[in-house]
Amino acid sequence: MKNIHKILNFLNKYNYNFEYYENRRLIVVNLGFNLFSHIQISDNQEIIKISDKLEGFNGISGFIQTSIKKSMIYQTIMLLIAFIILELTKFSKYDYDYTYLLVIFITISLLWFIFYLVKSEIFKMKIENLV
């Protein structure tokens, strides 16, 4: 119970919004912007796993619930498909060039990805240093 109490006291001290599921030994922390961190604790009070999860609508994966790293793979595939479609529109009878829109979208998605990743990793380091 020592490590669980350290973590719970830390979360209470800094006013994190969290839920503790005692029967599953799981702490779910809401980090804001639909980013949640799951802290799984074993029976001998050691942290087994700290994972992140994007839920609901967010800047990276939209409505899909996934981890940050999986959402970046999803974004890369979607951007590749969008690039191919936009490049194919260059060969149509209309002379439109939409690649600047793709560059803007790539920039925005990278900024969101970096924001979520930094927020998650900083929280993970705080918890690991605490225990």
Side-chain angles (χ1 to χ4, degrees):
M1 289 303 247
K2 182 178 168 185
N3 287 338
I4 292 176
H5 288 302
K6 276 186 185 179
I7 295 170
L8 293 176
N9 287 336
F10 172 79
L11 295 174
N12 282 323
K13 180 179 178 181
Y14 293 105
N15 293 325
Y16 281 98
N17 186 10
F18 68 94
E19 293 181 29
Y20 174 52
Y21 301 100
E22 192 170 349
N23 55 349
R24 295 188 303 179
R25 296 192 176 276
L26 175 69
I27 302 171
V28 179
V29 183
N30 183 353
L31 298 177
F33 295 100
N34 292 326
L35 174 63
F36 292 86
S37 184
H38 295 240
I39 305 169
Q40 185 69 46
I41 301 170
S42 67
D43 291 334
N44 61 356
Q45 301 302 312
E46 295 296 320
I47 294 179
I48 297 174
K49 185 178 178 183
I50 301 175
S51 60
D52 55 63
K53 186 174 185 181
L54 291 166
E55 294 182 357
F57 185 75
N58 56 67
I60 300 177
S61 64
F63 294 104
I64 298 173
Q65 296 182 1
T66 183
S67 71
I68 295 173
K69 291 170 185 142
K70 286 181 184 177
S71 68
M72 194 58 193
I73 294 169
Y74 166 74
Q75 277 288 348
T76 304
I77 292 169
M78 289 294 138
L79 288 172
L80 183 62
I81 292 170
F83 178 75
I84 291 170
I85 291 171
L86 290 176
E87 287 298 313
L88 290 175
T89 61
K90 287 183 178 180
F91 300 113
S92 68
K93 64 181 180 177
Y94 304 108
D95 191 25
Y96 296 124
D97 188 14
Y98 293 110
T99 51
Y100 65 91
L101 290 174
L102 190 62
V103 170
I104 291 170
F105 187 72
I106 289 171
T107 304
I108 291 170
S109 66
L110 275 174
L111 288 174
W112 274 111
F113 174 73
I114 291 168
F115 171 76
Y116 281 121
L117 188 64
V118 167
K119 190 170 187 121
S120 174
E121 291 299 320
I122 287 174
F123 179 75
K124 185 188 277 188
M125 283 190 318
K126 286 179 183 178
I127 295 298
E128 287 173 349
N129 289 336
L130 183 68
V131 178

